[in-house]
Amino acid sequence: MKKPSSKIRAEIVKLQEQLKVAETRDAERIGRIALKAGLGDIEIDEAELQAAFEEVATRFRKGLGKKSVSATAAISTGEASDGRGEG
C-alpha cells in the first residue's frame, strides 16, 4: 500500500525538525567541550578550525582516539615511558 504524498511530506517535516534538534544538541555539546579546552580564547580562521576538527574526527573514526586519550592521560599524570614518573 502506497502512502499519500501528503503523509510523506508531513514525515519529512517531522524528521527535519528532529534533525534540527539533534544538530543543536550536538553543537552545544561540542561547543562546551571546545570552550573547556580553551578554544574560545584562540583567534583562528574558521576554515582552519574546521580543518582541525575534521582531522580530529578522522582520527577518532579510525579508532585512534582511544589510544591518544590514554597516552595523553599518562603524560598529564606525570608518567614517563618507563612507568616510574618524571626523572
Side-chain angles (χ1 to χ4, degrees), residues 22-82:
E23 287 176 338
T24 299
R25 183 181 58 242
D26 292 343
E28 288 172 351
R29 176 179 167 260
I30 292 167
R32 281 192 302 273
I33 293 167
L35 289 174
K36 286 180 184 178
L39 288 177
D41 300 331
I42 297 174
E43 291 188 31
I44 185 170
D45 179 64
E46 193 170 318
E48 290 179 65
L49 186 57
Q50 182 175 344
F53 276 126
E54 288 169 357
E55 289 175 19
V56 170
T58 299
R59 188 178 81 202
F60 278 87
R61 281 188 192 112
K62 290 181 180 178
L64 301 175
K66 290 183 180 178
K67 293 177 187 174
S68 297
V69 170
S70 62
T72 303
I75 292 169
S76 67
T77 59
E79 287 184 29
S81 59
D82 63 3

